[in-house]
Amino acid sequence: MVRPIVYWPDPILDKPTDPVTEFGDALTTLLEDMLESMHAEEGVGIAANQVGVKRRLAWVCPEDGPPFEIINPEILEKSEPIELEEGCLSVPDEREKVRRFRKVKVRYQDRTGASHELVAEGRVAHVLQHEIDHLYGTVFVRHLSVLKRGLIRKRMLKLKAYRAEHDEDCVDPSHDHGSKAHNHTHER
Ligand code: NI
């Protein structure tokens, strides 16, 4: 089931998520919903708090190969910094350069609870850093100057107000409007 994306600014995006401690059917359902929601918005990654769930899990899409889930991820090592342009499903239509690291080593669990270590570069490294940031309460706009962030915040508040008024799909997902409201007819 596609779940609506939470738009920044929103408190759930600005706070660290809680670690996943139970690996079972509920987790699998959440993962499937997150994947559907990510595909519906043509994203290359998604974190649980972006669909309103305060849990430490996310999806990452490599350029060549299927998406994979990261649960309770942490960055163990970083290489030299690099500036990369990025956007976010929670901050639609905004793209900015952000300081990231060229290469990262991460540890995470999969849905069975098995632990993995991965050394990544390229897009996977970039998406990993963006999603892990999300899970610790950092939306990419936090890396921008106060001035830039303020301008984006203004545009987002306007967008949120507009959507709340014109598109039931995009109101605060903590309000339950029933499945009928989640048919996502809008396009970007
Ligand atoms: Ni994002």
Side-chain angles (χ1 to χ4, degrees), residues 127-164:
V127 178
L128 278 167
Q129 291 172 78
H130 180 101
E131 301 311 328
I132 293 172
D133 252 6
H134 268 305
L135 297 175
Y136 288 89
T138 301
V139 177
F140 83 102
V141 296
R142 292 274 164 221
H143 295 293
L144 307 176
S145 68
V146 175
L147 182 67
K148 255 188 191 166
R149 184 164 64 247
L151 289 172
I152 292 176
R153 191 167 189 280
K154 240 188 211 164
R155 288 198 288 266
M156 284 302 301
L157 289 173
K158 239 173 147 178
L159 178 67
K160 283 176 70 152
Y162 180 85
R163 298 251 167 150

PDB file of all heavy atoms in Angstrom, residues 127-164:
ATOM      1  N   VAL A 127      23.191   7.834  -1.620  1.00  0.00           N
ATOM      2  CA  VAL A 127      21.849   7.552  -1.089  1.00  0.00           C
ATOM      3  C   VAL A 127      21.951   7.037   0.360  1.00  0.00           C
ATOM      4  O   VAL A 127      21.146   7.423   1.214  1.00  0.00           O
ATOM      5  CB  VAL A 127      21.087   6.545  -1.989  1.00  0.00           C
ATOM      6  CG1 VAL A 127      19.716   6.219  -1.402  1.00  0.00           C
ATOM      7  CG2 VAL A 127      20.927   7.111  -3.405  1.00  0.00           C
ATOM      8  N   LEU A 128      22.930   6.198   0.624  1.00  0.00           N
ATOM      9  CA  LEU A 128      23.112   5.707   2.006  1.00  0.00           C
ATOM     10  C   LEU A 128      23.257   6.869   2.979  1.00  0.00           C
ATOM     11  O   LEU A 128      22.617   6.899   4.033  1.00  0.00           O
ATOM     12  CB  LEU A 128      24.366   4.816   2.088  1.00  0.00           C
ATOM     13  CG  LEU A 128      24.216   3.352   1.662  1.00  0.00           C
ATOM     14  CD1 LEU A 128      25.597   2.717   1.512  1.00  0.00           C
ATOM     15  CD2 LEU A 128      23.388   2.558   2.674  1.00  0.00           C
ATOM     16  N   GLN A 129      24.080   7.844   2.619  1.00  0.00           N
ATOM     17  CA  GLN A 129      24.306   8.975   3.535  1.00  0.00           C
ATOM     18  C   GLN A 129      23.034   9.804   3.715  1.00  0.00           C
ATOM     19  O   GLN A 129      22.704  10.229   4.820  1.00  0.00           O
ATOM     20  CB  GLN A 129      25.442   9.858   3.003  1.00  0.00           C
ATOM     21  CG  GLN A 129      26.795   9.162   3.085  1.00  0.00           C
ATOM     22  CD  GLN A 129      27.885   9.947   2.380  1.00  0.00           C
ATOM     23  OE1 GLN A 129      28.397  10.927   2.901  1.00  0.00           O
ATOM     24  NE2 GLN A 129      28.258   9.518   1.185  1.00  0.00           N
ATOM     25  N   HIS A 130      22.304   9.992   2.623  1.00  0.00           N
ATOM     26  CA  HIS A 130      21.061  10.773   2.687  1.00  0.00           C
ATOM     27  C   HIS A 130      20.026  10.057   3.568  1.00  0.00           C
ATOM     28  O   HIS A 130      19.391  10.678   4.429  1.00  0.00           O
ATOM     29  CB  HIS A 130      20.529  10.971   1.260  1.00  0.00           C
ATOM     30  CG  HIS A 130      19.263  11.757   1.167  1.00  0.00           C
ATOM     31  ND1 HIS A 130      19.228  13.083   0.816  1.00  0.00           N
ATOM     32  CD2 HIS A 130      17.970  11.405   1.398  1.00  0.00           C
ATOM     33  CE1 HIS A 130      17.974  13.515   0.826  1.00  0.00           C
ATOM     34  NE2 HIS A 130      17.177  12.506   1.175  1.00  0.00           N
ATOM     35  N   GLU A 131      19.870   8.742   3.375  1.00  0.00           N
ATOM     36  CA  GLU A 131      18.844   8.000   4.133  1.00  0.00           C
ATOM     37  C   GLU A 131      19.242   7.833   5.596  1.00  0.00           C
ATOM     38  O   GLU A 131      18.404   7.925   6.490  1.00  0.00           O
ATOM     39  CB  GLU A 131      18.567   6.635   3.488  1.00  0.00           C
ATOM     40  CG  GLU A 131      18.079   6.678   2.039  1.00  0.00           C
ATOM     41  CD  GLU A 131      16.937   7.650   1.787  1.00  0.00           C
ATOM     42  OE1 GLU A 131      16.104   7.860   2.690  1.00  0.00           O
ATOM     43  OE2 GLU A 131      16.897   8.229   0.678  1.00  0.00           O
ATOM     44  N   ILE A 132      20.505   7.582   5.853  1.00  0.00           N
ATOM     45  CA  ILE A 132      20.953   7.424   7.245  1.00  0.00           C
ATOM     46  C   ILE A 132      20.794   8.758   7.981  1.00  0.00           C
ATOM     47  O   ILE A 132      20.363   8.798   9.130  1.00  0.00           O
ATOM     48  CB  ILE A 132      22.394   6.839   7.319  1.00  0.00           C
ATOM     49  CG1 ILE A 132      22.366   5.389   6.798  1.00  0.00           C
ATOM     50  CG2 ILE A 132      22.938   6.898   8.747  1.00  0.00           C
ATOM     51  CD1 ILE A 132      23.726   4.729   6.636  1.00  0.00           C
ATOM     52  N   ASP A 133      21.076   9.845   7.289  1.00  0.00           N
ATOM     53  CA  ASP A 133      20.792  11.180   7.837  1.00  0.00           C
ATOM     54  C   ASP A 133      19.323  11.283   8.271  1.00  0.00           C
ATOM     55  O   ASP A 133      19.022  11.695   9.384  1.00  0.00           O
ATOM     56  CB  ASP A 133      21.032  12.248   6.757  1.00  0.00           C
ATOM     57  CG  ASP A 133      22.290  13.072   7.021  1.00  0.00           C
ATOM     58  OD1 ASP A 133      23.036  12.744   7.962  1.00  0.00           O
ATOM     59  OD2 ASP A 133      22.511  14.040   6.265  1.00  0.00           O
ATOM     60  N   HIS A 134      18.414  10.897   7.368  1.00  0.00           N
ATOM     61  CA  HIS A 134      16.975  10.925   7.682  1.00  0.00           C
ATOM     62  C   HIS A 134      16.693  10.196   8.990  1.00  0.00           C
ATOM     63  O   HIS A 134      15.962  10.685   9.848  1.00  0.00           O
ATOM     64  CB  HIS A 134      16.161  10.215   6.596  1.00  0.00           C
ATOM     65  CG  HIS A 134      15.665  11.096   5.488  1.00  0.00           C
ATOM     66  ND1 HIS A 134      14.906  12.217   5.722  1.00  0.00           N
ATOM     67  CD2 HIS A 134      15.790  11.003   4.140  1.00  0.00           C
ATOM     68  CE1 HIS A 134      14.600  12.779   4.548  1.00  0.00           C
ATOM     69  NE2 HIS A 134      15.121  12.066   3.581  1.00  0.00           N
ATOM     70  N   LEU A 135      17.270   9.009   9.118  1.00  0.00           N
ATOM     71  CA  LEU A 135      16.952   8.151  10.262  1.00  0.00           C
ATOM     72  C   LEU A 135      17.465   8.737  11.579  1.00  0.00           C
ATOM     73  O   LEU A 135      16.989   8.381  12.650  1.00  0.00           O
ATOM     74  CB  LEU A 135      17.513   6.740  10.043  1.00  0.00           C
ATOM     75  CG  LEU A 135      16.901   6.000   8.835  1.00  0.00           C
ATOM     76  CD1 LEU A 135      17.597   4.663   8.616  1.00  0.00           C
ATOM     77  CD2 LEU A 135      15.399   5.797   9.024  1.00  0.00           C
ATOM     78  N   TYR A 136      18.433   9.669  11.467  1.00  0.00           N
ATOM     79  CA  TYR A 136      18.924  10.344  12.674  1.00  0.00           C
ATOM     80  C   TYR A 136      18.374  11.780  12.766  1.00  0.00           C
ATOM     81  O   TYR A 136      18.901  12.605  13.504  1.00  0.00           O
ATOM     82  CB  TYR A 136      20.452  10.301  12.724  1.00  0.00           C
ATOM     83  CG  TYR A 136      20.948   8.898  13.031  1.00  0.00           C
ATOM     84  CD1 TYR A 136      21.199   7.982  12.021  1.00  0.00           C
ATOM     85  CD2 TYR A 136      21.109   8.468  14.356  1.00  0.00           C
ATOM     86  CE1 TYR A 136      21.603   6.682  12.295  1.00  0.00           C
ATOM     87  CE2 TYR A 136      21.524   7.183  14.649  1.00  0.00           C
ATOM     88  CZ  TYR A 136      21.763   6.294  13.613  1.00  0.00           C
ATOM     89  OH  TYR A 136      22.165   5.010  13.908  1.00  0.00           O
ATOM     90  N   GLY A 137      17.312  12.061  11.993  1.00  0.00           N
ATOM     91  CA  GLY A 137      16.610  13.327  12.134  1.00  0.00           C
ATOM     92  C   GLY A 137      17.189  14.496  11.357  1.00  0.00           C
ATOM     93  O   GLY A 137      16.945  15.655  11.691  1.00  0.00           O
ATOM     94  N   THR A 138      17.951  14.188  10.301  1.00  0.00           N
ATOM     95  CA  THR A 138      18.542  15.268   9.502  1.00  0.00           C
ATOM     96  C   THR A 138      18.056  15.221   8.053  1.00  0.00           C
ATOM     97  O   THR A 138      18.439  14.342   7.298  1.00  0.00           O
ATOM     98  CB  THR A 138      20.092  15.196   9.533  1.00  0.00           C
ATOM     99  OG1 THR A 138      20.511  15.304  10.889  1.00  0.00           O
ATOM    100  CG2 THR A 138      20.719  16.315   8.726  1.00  0.00           C
ATOM    101  N   VAL A 139      17.211  16.162   7.690  1.00  0.00           N
ATOM    102  CA  VAL A 139      16.802  16.337   6.291  1.00  0.00           C
ATOM    103  C   VAL A 139      17.938  17.099   5.602  1.00  0.00           C
ATOM    104  O   VAL A 139      18.621  17.909   6.247  1.00  0.00           O
ATOM    105  CB  VAL A 139      15.473  17.120   6.235  1.00  0.00           C
ATOM    106  CG1 VAL A 139      15.042  17.389   4.806  1.00  0.00           C
ATOM    107  CG2 VAL A 139      14.380  16.340   6.972  1.00  0.00           C
ATOM    108  N   PHE A 140      18.169  16.858   4.298  1.00  0.00           N
ATOM    109  CA  PHE A 140      19.360  17.423   3.643  1.00  0.00           C
ATOM    110  C   PHE A 140      19.445  18.951   3.738  1.00  0.00           C
ATOM    111  O   PHE A 140      20.538  19.507   3.723  1.00  0.00           O
ATOM    112  CB  PHE A 140      19.473  16.941   2.186  1.00  0.00           C
ATOM    113  CG  PHE A 140      18.655  17.715   1.188  1.00  0.00           C
ATOM    114  CD1 PHE A 140      19.246  18.663   0.362  1.00  0.00           C
ATOM    115  CD2 PHE A 140      17.293  17.498   1.063  1.00  0.00           C
ATOM    116  CE1 PHE A 140      18.496  19.383  -0.554  1.00  0.00           C
ATOM    117  CE2 PHE A 140      16.533  18.215   0.144  1.00  0.00           C
ATOM    118  CZ  PHE A 140      17.125  19.159  -0.662  1.00  0.00           C
ATOM    119  N   VAL A 141      18.290  19.622   3.879  1.00  0.00           N
ATOM    120  CA  VAL A 141      18.314  21.086   3.966  1.00  0.00           C
ATOM    121  C   VAL A 141      19.060  21.581   5.211  1.00  0.00           C
ATOM    122  O   VAL A 141      19.504  22.727   5.267  1.00  0.00           O
ATOM    123  CB  VAL A 141      16.894  21.688   3.937  1.00  0.00           C
ATOM    124  CG1 VAL A 141      16.219  21.411   2.602  1.00  0.00           C
ATOM    125  CG2 VAL A 141      16.029  21.148   5.068  1.00  0.00           C
ATOM    126  N   ARG A 142      19.229  20.703   6.198  1.00  0.00           N
ATOM    127  CA  ARG A 142      19.998  21.060   7.413  1.00  0.00           C
ATOM    128  C   ARG A 142      21.463  21.331   7.083  1.00  0.00           C
ATOM    129  O   ARG A 142      22.168  21.954   7.860  1.00  0.00           O
ATOM    130  CB  ARG A 142      19.929  19.938   8.452  1.00  0.00           C
ATOM    131  CG  ARG A 142      18.561  19.753   9.039  1.00  0.00           C
ATOM    132  CD  ARG A 142      18.282  20.668  10.229  1.00  0.00           C
ATOM    133  NE  ARG A 142      16.849  20.700  10.486  1.00  0.00           N
ATOM    134  CZ  ARG A 142      16.158  21.786  10.797  1.00  0.00           C
ATOM    135  NH1 ARG A 142      16.750  22.961  10.896  1.00  0.00           N
ATOM    136  NH2 ARG A 142      14.866  21.713  11.011  1.00  0.00           N
ATOM    137  N   HIS A 143      21.921  20.809   5.957  1.00  0.00           N
ATOM    138  CA  HIS A 143      23.323  21.016   5.571  1.00  0.00           C
ATOM    139  C   HIS A 143      23.516  22.334   4.821  1.00  0.00           C
ATOM    140  O   HIS A 143      24.636  22.695   4.496  1.00  0.00           O
ATOM    141  CB  HIS A 143      23.802  19.863   4.682  1.00  0.00           C
ATOM    142  CG  HIS A 143      23.846  18.531   5.383  1.00  0.00           C
ATOM    143  ND1 HIS A 143      24.719  18.265   6.408  1.00  0.00           N
ATOM    144  CD2 HIS A 143      23.122  17.399   5.208  1.00  0.00           C
ATOM    145  CE1 HIS A 143      24.535  17.015   6.830  1.00  0.00           C
ATOM    146  NE2 HIS A 143      23.579  16.465   6.125  1.00  0.00           N
ATOM    147  N   LEU A 144      22.415  23.023   4.521  1.00  0.00           N
ATOM    148  CA  LEU A 144      22.510  24.271   3.751  1.00  0.00           C
ATOM    149  C   LEU A 144      22.660  25.471   4.687  1.00  0.00           C
ATOM    150  O   LEU A 144      22.500  25.350   5.899  1.00  0.00           O
ATOM    151  CB  LEU A 144      21.254  24.433   2.892  1.00  0.00           C
ATOM    152  CG  LEU A 144      20.894  23.253   1.983  1.00  0.00           C
ATOM    153  CD1 LEU A 144      19.567  23.526   1.277  1.00  0.00           C
ATOM    154  CD2 LEU A 144      21.994  22.971   0.977  1.00  0.00           C
ATOM    155  N   SER A 145      22.916  26.626   4.108  1.00  0.00           N
ATOM    156  CA  SER A 145      23.023  27.843   4.914  1.00  0.00           C
ATOM    157  C   SER A 145      21.649  28.184   5.497  1.00  0.00           C
ATOM    158  O   SER A 145      20.610  27.769   4.965  1.00  0.00           O
ATOM    159  CB  SER A 145      23.512  29.003   4.049  1.00  0.00           C
ATOM    160  OG  SER A 145      22.515  29.348   3.107  1.00  0.00           O
ATOM    161  N   VAL A 146      21.650  28.948   6.568  1.00  0.00           N
ATOM    162  CA  VAL A 146      20.400  29.366   7.213  1.00  0.00           C
ATOM    163  C   VAL A 146      19.513  30.093   6.201  1.00  0.00           C
ATOM    164  O   VAL A 146      18.302  29.895   6.157  1.00  0.00           O
ATOM    165  CB  VAL A 146      20.707  30.293   8.415  1.00  0.00           C
ATOM    166  CG1 VAL A 146      19.423  30.845   9.026  1.00  0.00           C
ATOM    167  CG2 VAL A 146      21.508  29.539   9.469  1.00  0.00           C
ATOM    168  N   LEU A 147      20.157  30.911   5.379  1.00  0.00           N
ATOM    169  CA  LEU A 147      19.416  31.696   4.395  1.00  0.00           C
ATOM    170  C   LEU A 147      18.710  30.799   3.378  1.00  0.00           C
ATOM    171  O   LEU A 147      17.507  30.904   3.145  1.00  0.00           O
ATOM    172  CB  LEU A 147      20.377  32.654   3.679  1.00  0.00           C
ATOM    173  CG  LEU A 147      19.744  33.576   2.648  1.00  0.00           C
ATOM    174  CD1 LEU A 147      18.819  34.590   3.319  1.00  0.00           C
ATOM    175  CD2 LEU A 147      20.815  34.295   1.843  1.00  0.00           C
ATOM    176  N   LYS A 148      19.474  29.862   2.798  1.00  0.00           N
ATOM    177  CA  LYS A 148      18.907  28.944   1.802  1.00  0.00           C
ATOM    178  C   LYS A 148      17.798  28.098   2.411  1.00  0.00           C
ATOM    179  O   LYS A 148      16.746  27.901   1.820  1.00  0.00           O
ATOM    180  CB  LYS A 148      20.009  28.019   1.270  1.00  0.00           C
ATOM    181  CG  LYS A 148      20.460  28.401  -0.113  1.00  0.00           C
ATOM    182  CD  LYS A 148      21.392  27.368  -0.684  1.00  0.00           C
ATOM    183  CE  LYS A 148      22.035  27.903  -1.943  1.00  0.00           C
ATOM    184  NZ  LYS A 148      23.173  27.111  -2.386  1.00  0.00           N
ATOM    185  N   ARG A 149      18.081  27.596   3.614  1.00  0.00           N
ATOM    186  CA  ARG A 149      17.100  26.733   4.269  1.00  0.00           C
ATOM    187  C   ARG A 149      15.813  27.503   4.555  1.00  0.00           C
ATOM    188  O   ARG A 149      14.706  26.996   4.399  1.00  0.00           O
ATOM    189  CB  ARG A 149      17.686  26.153   5.563  1.00  0.00           C
ATOM    190  CG  ARG A 149      16.759  25.164   6.244  1.00  0.00           C
ATOM    191  CD  ARG A 149      17.463  24.317   7.268  1.00  0.00           C
ATOM    192  NE  ARG A 149      17.990  25.094   8.376  1.00  0.00           N
ATOM    193  CZ  ARG A 149      19.270  25.266   8.655  1.00  0.00           C
ATOM    194  NH1 ARG A 149      20.200  24.701   7.898  1.00  0.00           N
ATOM    195  NH2 ARG A 149      19.647  25.979   9.684  1.00  0.00           N
ATOM    196  N   GLY A 150      15.969  28.764   4.949  1.00  0.00           N
ATOM    197  CA  GLY A 150      14.819  29.607   5.247  1.00  0.00           C
ATOM    198  C   GLY A 150      13.941  29.818   4.019  1.00  0.00           C
ATOM    199  O   GLY A 150      12.717  29.767   4.103  1.00  0.00           O
ATOM    200  N   LEU A 151      14.598  30.003   2.866  1.00  0.00           N
ATOM    201  CA  LEU A 151      13.841  30.210   1.621  1.00  0.00           C
ATOM    202  C   LEU A 151      13.081  28.941   1.243  1.00  0.00           C
ATOM    203  O   LEU A 151      11.917  28.987   0.855  1.00  0.00           O
ATOM    204  CB  LEU A 151      14.794  30.609   0.488  1.00  0.00           C
ATOM    205  CG  LEU A 151      15.398  32.005   0.596  1.00  0.00           C
ATOM    206  CD1 LEU A 151      16.478  32.213  -0.466  1.00  0.00           C
ATOM    207  CD2 LEU A 151      14.314  33.074   0.465  1.00  0.00           C
ATOM    208  N   ILE A 152      13.767  27.809   1.388  1.00  0.00           N
ATOM    209  CA  ILE A 152      13.119  26.526   1.058  1.00  0.00           C
ATOM    210  C   ILE A 152      11.957  26.277   2.022  1.00  0.00           C
ATOM    211  O   ILE A 152      10.880  25.843   1.633  1.00  0.00           O
ATOM    212  CB  ILE A 152      14.146  25.366   1.099  1.00  0.00           C
ATOM    213  CG1 ILE A 152      15.150  25.529  -0.046  1.00  0.00           C
ATOM    214  CG2 ILE A 152      13.443  24.009   1.017  1.00  0.00           C
ATOM    215  CD1 ILE A 152      16.276  24.517  -0.068  1.00  0.00           C
ATOM    216  N   ARG A 153      12.188  26.621   3.293  1.00  0.00           N
ATOM    217  CA  ARG A 153      11.133  26.421   4.300  1.00  0.00           C
ATOM    218  C   ARG A 153       9.877  27.223   3.936  1.00  0.00           C
ATOM    219  O   ARG A 153       8.765  26.718   4.002  1.00  0.00           O
ATOM    220  CB  ARG A 153      11.675  26.877   5.666  1.00  0.00           C
ATOM    221  CG  ARG A 153      10.800  26.482   6.825  1.00  0.00           C
ATOM    222  CD  ARG A 153      11.538  26.685   8.150  1.00  0.00           C
ATOM    223  NE  ARG A 153      10.758  26.111   9.236  1.00  0.00           N
ATOM    224  CZ  ARG A 153       9.716  26.720   9.799  1.00  0.00           C
ATOM    225  NH1 ARG A 153       9.364  27.927   9.401  1.00  0.00           N
ATOM    226  NH2 ARG A 153       9.038  26.123  10.757  1.00  0.00           N
ATOM    227  N   LYS A 154      10.097  28.438   3.497  1.00  0.00           N
ATOM    228  CA  LYS A 154       8.986  29.297   3.096  1.00  0.00           C
ATOM    229  C   LYS A 154       8.206  28.673   1.935  1.00  0.00           C
ATOM    230  O   LYS A 154       6.988  28.615   1.941  1.00  0.00           O
ATOM    231  CB  LYS A 154       9.534  30.657   2.644  1.00  0.00           C
ATOM    232  CG  LYS A 154       9.023  31.812   3.466  1.00  0.00           C
ATOM    233  CD  LYS A 154       9.467  33.116   2.829  1.00  0.00           C
ATOM    234  CE  LYS A 154       9.681  34.173   3.908  1.00  0.00           C
ATOM    235  NZ  LYS A 154      10.444  35.309   3.407  1.00  0.00           N
ATOM    236  N   ARG A 155       8.954  28.206   0.922  1.00  0.00           N
ATOM    237  CA  ARG A 155       8.298  27.591  -0.243  1.00  0.00           C
ATOM    238  C   ARG A 155       7.554  26.330   0.170  1.00  0.00           C
ATOM    239  O   ARG A 155       6.463  26.049  -0.316  1.00  0.00           O
ATOM    240  CB  ARG A 155       9.338  27.264  -1.329  1.00  0.00           C
ATOM    241  CG  ARG A 155       9.874  28.490  -2.036  1.00  0.00           C
ATOM    242  CD  ARG A 155      10.534  28.144  -3.361  1.00  0.00           C
ATOM    243  NE  ARG A 155      11.817  27.469  -3.210  1.00  0.00           N
ATOM    244  CZ  ARG A 155      12.991  28.103  -3.213  1.00  0.00           C
ATOM    245  NH1 ARG A 155      13.054  29.410  -3.340  1.00  0.00           N
ATOM    246  NH2 ARG A 155      14.122  27.433  -3.095  1.00  0.00           N
ATOM    247  N   MET A 156       8.151  25.566   1.082  1.00  0.00           N
ATOM    248  CA  MET A 156       7.518  24.314   1.513  1.00  0.00           C
ATOM    249  C   MET A 156       6.239  24.580   2.310  1.00  0.00           C
ATOM    250  O   MET A 156       5.259  23.864   2.156  1.00  0.00           O
ATOM    251  CB  MET A 156       8.499  23.477   2.356  1.00  0.00           C
ATOM    252  CG  MET A 156       9.571  22.764   1.555  1.00  0.00           C
ATOM    253  SD  MET A 156       8.901  21.634   0.287  1.00  0.00           S
ATOM    254  CE  MET A 156       7.926  20.522   1.302  1.00  0.00           C
ATOM    255  N   LEU A 157       6.259  25.589   3.156  1.00  0.00           N
ATOM    256  CA  LEU A 157       5.053  25.907   3.943  1.00  0.00           C
ATOM    257  C   LEU A 157       3.904  26.300   3.015  1.00  0.00           C
ATOM    258  O   LEU A 157       2.764  25.917   3.227  1.00  0.00           O
ATOM    259  CB  LEU A 157       5.349  27.001   4.966  1.00  0.00           C
ATOM    260  CG  LEU A 157       6.245  26.572   6.139  1.00  0.00           C
ATOM    261  CD1 LEU A 157       6.612  27.778   7.018  1.00  0.00           C
ATOM    262  CD2 LEU A 157       5.581  25.492   6.994  1.00  0.00           C
ATOM    263  N   LYS A 158       4.268  27.038   1.970  1.00  0.00           N
ATOM    264  CA  LYS A 158       3.276  27.436   0.978  1.00  0.00           C
ATOM    265  C   LYS A 158       2.707  26.204   0.269  1.00  0.00           C
ATOM    266  O   LYS A 158       1.504  26.051   0.102  1.00  0.00           O
ATOM    267  CB  LYS A 158       3.957  28.334  -0.065  1.00  0.00           C
ATOM    268  CG  LYS A 158       3.344  29.720  -0.191  1.00  0.00           C
ATOM    269  CD  LYS A 158       4.206  30.549  -1.107  1.00  0.00           C
ATOM    270  CE  LYS A 158       3.396  31.529  -1.908  1.00  0.00           C
ATOM    271  NZ  LYS A 158       4.277  32.358  -2.743  1.00  0.00           N
ATOM    272  N   LEU A 159       3.623  25.329  -0.149  1.00  0.00           N
ATOM    273  CA  LEU A 159       3.223  24.100  -0.850  1.00  0.00           C
ATOM    274  C   LEU A 159       2.333  23.232   0.041  1.00  0.00           C
ATOM    275  O   LEU A 159       1.314  22.694  -0.391  1.00  0.00           O
ATOM    276  CB  LEU A 159       4.473  23.319  -1.264  1.00  0.00           C
ATOM    277  CG  LEU A 159       4.253  21.974  -1.960  1.00  0.00           C
ATOM    278  CD1 LEU A 159       3.616  22.163  -3.338  1.00  0.00           C
ATOM    279  CD2 LEU A 159       5.570  21.213  -2.124  1.00  0.00           C
ATOM    280  N   LYS A 160       2.732  23.103   1.312  1.00  0.00           N
ATOM    281  CA  LYS A 160       1.959  22.281   2.245  1.00  0.00           C
ATOM    282  C   LYS A 160       0.555  22.858   2.446  1.00  0.00           C
ATOM    283  O   LYS A 160      -0.428  22.125   2.486  1.00  0.00           O
ATOM    284  CB  LYS A 160       2.694  22.167   3.593  1.00  0.00           C
ATOM    285  CG  LYS A 160       3.846  21.176   3.535  1.00  0.00           C
ATOM    286  CD  LYS A 160       4.642  21.125   4.819  1.00  0.00           C
ATOM    287  CE  LYS A 160       3.879  20.507   5.944  1.00  0.00           C
ATOM    288  NZ  LYS A 160       4.768  19.868   6.944  1.00  0.00           N
ATOM    289  N   ALA A 161       0.473  24.160   2.552  1.00  0.00           N
ATOM    290  CA  ALA A 161      -0.821  24.805   2.740  1.00  0.00           C
ATOM    291  C   ALA A 161      -1.688  24.581   1.506  1.00  0.00           C
ATOM    292  O   ALA A 161      -2.868  24.242   1.600  1.00  0.00           O
ATOM    293  CB  ALA A 161      -0.627  26.297   2.996  1.00  0.00           C
ATOM    294  N   TYR A 162      -1.063  24.720   0.333  1.00  0.00           N
ATOM    295  CA  TYR A 162      -1.800  24.532  -0.925  1.00  0.00           C
ATOM    296  C   TYR A 162      -2.323  23.102  -1.034  1.00  0.00           C
ATOM    297  O   TYR A 162      -3.470  22.856  -1.356  1.00  0.00           O
ATOM    298  CB  TYR A 162      -0.885  24.856  -2.106  1.00  0.00           C
ATOM    299  CG  TYR A 162      -1.574  24.685  -3.437  1.00  0.00           C
ATOM    300  CD1 TYR A 162      -2.332  25.716  -3.979  1.00  0.00           C
ATOM    301  CD2 TYR A 162      -1.477  23.479  -4.137  1.00  0.00           C
ATOM    302  CE1 TYR A 162      -2.984  25.559  -5.190  1.00  0.00           C
ATOM    303  CE2 TYR A 162      -2.131  23.309  -5.352  1.00  0.00           C
ATOM    304  CZ  TYR A 162      -2.877  24.349  -5.866  1.00  0.00           C
ATOM    305  OH  TYR A 162      -3.519  24.187  -7.067  1.00  0.00           O
ATOM    306  N   ARG A 163      -1.424  22.150  -0.743  1.00  0.00           N
ATOM    307  CA  ARG A 163      -1.819  20.734  -0.858  1.00  0.00           C
ATOM    308  C   ARG A 163      -2.901  20.372   0.146  1.00  0.00           C
ATOM    309  O   ARG A 163      -3.807  19.615  -0.165  1.00  0.00           O
ATOM    310  CB  ARG A 163      -0.602  19.839  -0.630  1.00  0.00           C
ATOM    311  CG  ARG A 163       0.480  20.062  -1.652  1.00  0.00           C
ATOM    312  CD  ARG A 163       0.578  18.893  -2.590  1.00  0.00           C
ATOM    313  NE  ARG A 163       1.386  19.240  -3.717  1.00  0.00           N
ATOM    314  CZ  ARG A 163       2.129  18.374  -4.391  1.00  0.00           C
ATOM    315  NH1 ARG A 163       2.151  17.122  -4.026  1.00  0.00           N
ATOM    316  NH2 ARG A 163       2.821  18.756  -5.423  1.00  0.00           N
ATOM    317  N   ALA A 164      -2.790  20.908   1.336  1.00  0.00           N
ATOM    318  CA  ALA A 164      -3.785  20.597   2.371  1.00  0.00           C
ATOM    319  C   ALA A 164      -5.160  21.060   1.914  1.00  0.00           C
ATOM    320  O   ALA A 164      -6.174  20.436   2.206  1.00  0.00           O
ATOM    321  CB  ALA A 164      -3.400  21.260   3.680  1.00  0.00           C
TER     322      ALA A 164
END
